Amino acid sequence: MHEPTIDEVRLAGVLHALSDPTRLAVVGQLARSGELPCGELDVAVAKSTLSQHLRVLREAGLTRTRPDRNQRWLSLRRDELDRLFPGLLDAVLGALTGARA
């Protein structure tokens, strides 16, 4: 399972990963929760589709996956991304929160 180093993360890949509503929902949940097992993500897609979305997020450098026995735990690479693209996640998450209001 490839997770790019922060030096490999590119803005175009991050923006592409954030361009999908399901992936945005996952990022929002991780921002609120810190770390979640994959099975606890609240998204209305099939498990196989969710796996593809999680792959896109991971390969873009937005998330970190931590295996633990038979579960995979996801977290947002918030600190690293904030250093690389200051304000980007705040803007995206702020817009996501505002869209729900």
Side-chain angles (χ1 to χ4, degrees):
M1 193 171 18
H2 175 70
E3 286 185 3
T5 66
I6 200 63
D7 294 333
E8 297 173 308
V9 175
R10 300 291 175 255
L11 181 59
V14 169
L15 293 175
H16 168 72
L18 294 171
S19 70
D20 181 88
T22 299
R23 293 192 292 265
L24 270 176
V26 169
V27 168
Q29 289 175 55
L30 294 175
R32 287 188 302 278
S33 301
E35 186 179 50
L36 285 172
C38 294
E40 288 187 23
L41 292 167
D42 184 20
V43 291
V45 296
K47 194 182 260 190
S48 60
T49 302
L50 178 59
S51 292
Q52 293 302 313
H53 285 299
L54 297 180
R55 179 187 56 79
V56 171
L57 290 169
R58 183 183 67 249
E59 290 179 355
L62 281 157
T63 60
R64 184 166 310 288
T65 304
R66 180 178 62 84
D68 182 25
R69 291 179 292 236
N70 63 343
Q71 285 193 35
R72 293 187 189 274
W73 290 77
L74 296 174
S75 59
L76 197 55
R77 294 174 71 176
R78 182 70 190 249
D79 291 340
E80 294 170 292
L81 290 165
D82 283 346
R83 281 192 300 275
L84 192 58
F85 307 116
L88 177 65
L89 285 179
D90 287 335
V92 169
L93 294 168
L96 183 61
T97 302
R100 286 193 205 141

